[in-house]
Amino acid sequence: MPDTADVLCLESLHVHFPIQGRLFDRLRGRPAGAVRAVDGIDLNIGRGEIVALVGESGSGKTTVGRVITKLAQPTGGRMLFDGRDMTSVQGSSALRPYRHRVQMIFQDAYQALNPRHTVFDIVAEPLRSLRLVEDGKQLAERVGEALASAGLNPPGDFFARFPHELSGGQRQRVVIAGALAVRPELIVADEPVSMLDVSIRAQILQVLVDLRAKHNMALLFITHDLPLAWLIADRIAVLYLGKLVEIGSADEVTFNPRHPYTVALRNATPQIGGNVGRAELPALQGEVPSAARVPKGCRFHPRCPVAFDRCREEEPPPVEVGSGHTAACWLAT
Amino acid sequence: MSESTVRYSPRGRAGAIKGFLRRFLGYGGAQVGLVCLMFFLIVAAVPGILVGPLQTAINATGDFLVPPSSQHLLGTDEVGRDVLNLVVHGARISLTIALLATVISLVLGTTIGMTAGYYGGRADVWLMRLTDFFFVMPSFVLALVITPVVLEVMGRGGEILGLRPSLFVIIVVIGMTSWAFVARIVRSQTLSLKERTFIDRARIAGSSNLSIMVRHLLPNLVPQIGANGALVVAGAIYVETSLSFLGLGDPLQPSWGTLLSLAQRAGAASAGAWWCLGAPGVCVLMVSLSFVLIGNALDDTFNPRRRVIP
Ligand SMILES: Nc1ncnc2c1ncn2[C@@H]1O[C@H](COP(=O)(O)OP(=O)(O)O)[C@@H](O)[C@H]1O
Ligand SMILES: [Mg+2]
């Protein structure tokens, strides 16, 4: 039974992208295989909860976000929103009620804004398409309200501007305003501050945190930055090569990590790594392997400093290591 | 707050257009093309005021095949008509045909190219096959095929928008044979545009496919469509000339191609009457050249990097 307190449940979610095999391989009947971008994820997001999805580049974070926002179709598993199975719902009109409740903020705000639309049209687009307003007056009110919530004041000054006339921070605020305008219950934010100047990051993060406080919006905050995740999130889920290796409260995962990958991530950041963590394990070696060739056994074993024989053969299941804290490692128990 | 220290110029659409015009007019080719085109457009707009009504064999004012003189600036043809009069009236016919055919071509090409590129998959495969079919279709063959159909529908004396059946056929034929070029360009541009994040955002905003195509893709395709539209007009003028030269024109509404055809048939070349052939020929060259110049300048304005590599 889905827990109705959760706004979103992902159950054993898979997204495999087929690889177009080379002609030579196809003639010899070799299977082409697939990029296992997301390879069995279970994740719940509660109402008004901020969950951070952390992982290196290529670990599948964006793909998870695209599935939740219905831009990509999962190849396996289920996605429940408010207890309703949304996995196979498709088409812009069938998705309209869902679009009203789930919105997205993008990494590159410049790319996310049509260069030929004004700020007003950009923010008004979801309100118009989802038919959430009755007349022009109401539309202008809602657009102004959304721009103000996103920190663009006075909103009227921005209505007629084009994206290229805005600074990077202001563009991201416009993207946020567009997502806010429909008053969604869940926002997926895919690395929303990674392309912004450090001085602006804090302000944008504040806008996101305020949303939860004011409107009880849930937030899936996607980032590669563990300290940032700790700063903003209630819970942290650590993704490695398409699988969640550790989930727990932000403090637990950050200060008491149980998976070697999380430990390595933490050690990579001097602010919280400190001397204690550093002595335990060396920092990460090498790069994330390609999701097209997932290692056998535990997918982290080729880079794991404490791997032993079992890790090379069997994939560890997630085990409970504390209250609401799970880790998928043979050494975690 | 560093983000509010960015300086804005208070410019919106009007400013963008002004900037575009400044860059566009900076190209010498654009200036020459525009001046030349202006001249022909004025001529085509008010032929009656400039040279009086269209001369026919009945109201011809001169002797046969008189070389250019002060009375007949461009000489006369084999039935004594003033060539200047014919060429000025021909401008209207030629330009009308070319522009109407271009409109057909752009509408068809944009719709088909955008649909194929946006939906992809099977729609793309079939639409592009259709496009390839029309791409290689010779206009003369198509004209021969649809002439009887149009005559059947319109009747021999009928008119559509003041155009007699044979001219109507030419417009339809040019429109049908030139859209494939536009469709290919629009499709390839659509393929790259649809991967842009703002299309994803539009989808999340709940916009339908139609609305994404009309509101998001089309405005971003306008530069390509404009630049190639100018080239399509140039091509249309050529095709119109050759179709008319081959005898598909209408003697009662003579275009430049028809004039060339009539002069050729009357033996103007062997009689040494170069003015009969030269006047309409130079007009065809100049108008298509100015559209090519304008098209290239538009292309350069929109993609300044493209021509760095020759
Ligand atoms: N449309 C796609 N087709 C094929 N492979 C893809 C596609 N999208 C993502 N991938 C692959 O899936 C993996 C995860 O990508 P992504 O979700 O973008 O990771 P992240 O956002 O964590 O950097 C990568 O190996 C990437 O190459
Ligand atoms: Mg990503």
Side-chain angles (χ1 to χ4, degrees):
Chain A
M1 267 311 288
D3 184 356
T4 42
D6 289 332
V7 65
L8 185 90
C9 291
L10 304 179
E11 293 177 357
S12 178
L13 193 78
H14 286 76
V15 184
H16 291 184
F17 296 106
I19 298 174
Q20 196 77 60
R22 280 174 305 174
L23 184 61
F24 185 66
D25 290 340
R26 268 187 282 165
L27 288 178
R28 290 175 41 177
R30 264 196 223 160
V35 176
R36 288 149 72 177
V38 178
D39 208 15
I41 281 186
D42 294 276
L43 184 66
N44 298 344
I45 300 175
R47 290 201 172 276
E49 190 184 27
I50 301 185
V51 175
L53 189 60
V54 182
E56 285 167 289
S57 146
S59 53
K61 308 182 295 294
T62 297
T63 309
V64 172
R66 288 176 66 86
V67 168
I68 296 173
T69 50
K70 298 299 285 179
L71 293 174
Q73 199 55 21
T75 51
R78 293 206 304 164
M79 179 170 91
L80 305 179
F81 184 84
D82 205 10
R84 285 195 46 210
D85 190 345
M86 296 303 299
T87 321
S88 51
V89 182
Q90 270 173 314
S92 62
S93 48
L95 279 172
R96 223 172 262 148
Y98 186 72
R99 300 279 185 224
H100 181 189
R101 302 170 74 179
V102 180
Q103 285 287 312
M104 181 157 186
I105 299 169
F106 299 86
Q107 177 171 19
D108 186 347
Y110 191 66
Q111 286 290 321
L113 301 175
N114 188 330
R116 289 174 194 273
H117 287 185
T118 59
V119 167
F120 184 87
D121 285 331
I122 289 165
V123 179
E125 184 175 7
L127 295 169
R128 284 180 175 137
S129 315
L130 300 170
R131 320 220 169 109
L132 298 178
V133 287
E134 264 128 46
D135 50 29
K137 191 166 153 278
Q138 207 187 349
L139 182 68
E141 270 171 27
R142 291 281 294 262
V143 171
E145 194 184 297
L147 286 171
S149 305
L152 291 171
N153 283 309
D157 284 5
F158 291 88
F159 281 2
R161 296 252 183 95
F162 284 90
H164 64 86
E165 299 167 334
L166 303 176
S167 69
Q170 288 172 329
R171 273 183 215 131
Q172 191 58 284
R173 288 177 193 270
V174 172
V175 173
I176 293 174
L180 288 187
V182 306
R183 298 176 189 149
E185 290 159 44
L186 170 66
I187 293 187
V188 175
D190 188 357
E191 312 220 22
V193 297
S194 68
M195 315 239 329
L196 299 178
D197 288 348
V198 177
S199 57
I200 298 162
R201 281 188 190 179
Q203 301 166 20
I204 298 286
L205 291 175
Q206 192 59 51
V207 169
L208 294 178
V209 172
D210 286 350
L211 286 182
R212 190 256 296 267
K214 266 190 251 158
H215 305 287
N216 200 32
M217 278 179 207
L219 182 68
L220 179 68
F221 188 87
I222 296 175
T223 180
H224 58 264
D225 191 346
L226 188 62
L228 190 57
W230 171 75
L231 199 64
I232 191 169
D234 305 319
R235 279 195 304 140
I236 294 180
V238 181
L239 189 64
Y240 184 78
L241 218 52
K243 263 219 145 95
L244 290 178
V245 293
E246 184 158 7
I247 309 178
S249 73
D251 285 335
E252 276 280 305
V253 171
T254 313
F255 296 111
N256 184 21
R258 302 297 297 274
H259 194 283
Y261 178 60
T262 319
V263 174
L265 274 186
R266 194 192 63 166
N267 288 352
T269 50
Q271 306 96 298
I272 51 174
N275 295 328
V276 193
R278 200 135 300 194
E280 277 174 40
L281 283 172
L284 264 187
Q285 308 281 313
E287 293 191 9
V288 191
S290 157
R293 268 164 302 160
V294 175
K296 189 166 173 266
C298 171
R299 53 195 65 207
F300 185 57
H301 85 254
R303 297 171 77 196
C304 183
V306 294
F308 59 106
D309 291 344
R310 193 176 187 189
C311 304
R312 288 180 255 279
E313 297 302 323
E314 284 177 77
E315 181 146 36
V319 288
E320 188 104 20
V321 292
S323 80
H325 186 179
T326 58
C329 177
W330 291 122
L331 291 173
T333 39
Chain B
M1 293 217 298
S2 68
E3 65 176 304
S4 53
T5 58
V6 175
R7 288 262 152 263
Y8 313 101
S9 47
R11 33 176 259 161
R13 239 171 257 272
I17 290 172
K18 216 180 273 173
F20 159 76
L21 279 181
R22 197 176 318 113
R23 269 181 301 149
F24 174 64
L25 293 176
Y27 290 100
Q31 296 169 1
V32 173
L34 277 181
V35 168
C36 186
L37 187 63
M38 249 349 150
F39 170 75
F40 278 99
L41 281 177
I42 290 168
V43 164
V46 287
I49 294 174
L50 294 173
V51 293
L54 175 67
Q55 295 193 0
T56 60
I58 297 153
N59 63 5
T61 53
D63 261 338
F64 306 143
L65 293 176
V66 180
S69 64
S70 58
Q71 221 172 359
H72 300 288
L73 286 176
L74 292 174
T76 63
D77 72 353
E78 76 286 351
V79 290
R81 293 181 292 180
D82 183 44
V83 172
L84 179 63
N85 175 291
L86 294 177
V87 166
V88 166
H89 281 276
R92 173 177 235 162
I93 307 292
S94 283
L95 285 175
T96 309
I97 293 177
L99 292 175
L100 286 180
T102 302
V103 169
I104 295 180
S105 162
L106 291 185
V107 170
L108 268 181
T110 305
T111 313
I112 292 179
M114 195 158 71
T115 311
Y118 180 71
Y119 285 102
R122 207 172 289 178
D124 187 22
V125 170
W126 285 105
L127 285 175
M128 286 334 273
R129 269 187 206 168
L130 185 74
T131 306
D132 289 339
F133 176 73
F134 277 95
F135 201 72
V136 296
M137 165 107 63
S139 44
F140 189 65
V141 174
L142 185 63
L144 291 183
V145 173
I146 71 167
T147 300
V149 179
V150 171
L151 284 181
E152 184 69 31
V153 174
M154 292 174 69
R156 212 157 267 282
E159 279 189 2
I160 290 182
L161 307 168
L163 294 161
R164 292 166 47 78
S166 46
L167 298 192
F168 190 74
V169 167
I170 291 185
I171 290 174
V172 171
V173 165
I174 298 175
M176 302 235 309
T177 50
S178 60
W179 66 262
F181 164 73
V182 180
R184 283 187 173 184
I185 286 163
V186 168
R187 173 181 173 268
S188 72
Q189 189 67 19
T190 304
L191 285 180
S192 81
L193 276 177
K194 79 167 177 179
E195 299 301 328
R196 299 269 296 270
T197 318
F198 65 77
I199 302 294
D200 285 340
R201 200 196 85 90
R203 228 170 259 148
I204 289 174
S207 298
S208 63
N209 288 327
L210 182 66
S211 144
I212 289 177
M213 286 200 271
V214 174
R215 293 229 203 101
H216 289 272
L217 292 178
L218 197 56
N220 286 288
L221 287 168
V222 164
Q224 259 75 20
I225 297 174
N228 290 292
L231 298 180
V232 171
V233 186
I237 289 194
Y238 263 118
V239 175
E240 188 276 323
T241 306
S242 40
L243 288 178
S244 303
F245 186 78
L246 291 168
L248 288 171
D250 191 321
L252 294 182
Q253 291 182 326
S255 70
W256 291 331
T258 315
L259 296 179
L260 283 169
S261 169
L262 293 175
Q264 163 75 12
R265 260 181 259 162
S270 47
W274 50 267
W275 56 91
C276 280
L277 287 165
V282 166
C283 289
V284 169
L285 269 179
M286 284 180 50
V287 172
S288 39
L289 184 66
S290 37
F291 274 107
V292 170
L293 287 174
I294 290 171
N296 285 346
L298 281 175
D299 208 15
D300 286 346
T301 315
F302 291 125
N303 319 307
R305 272 165 301 165
R306 225 186 73 166
R307 260 156 219 276
V308 175
I309 307 155

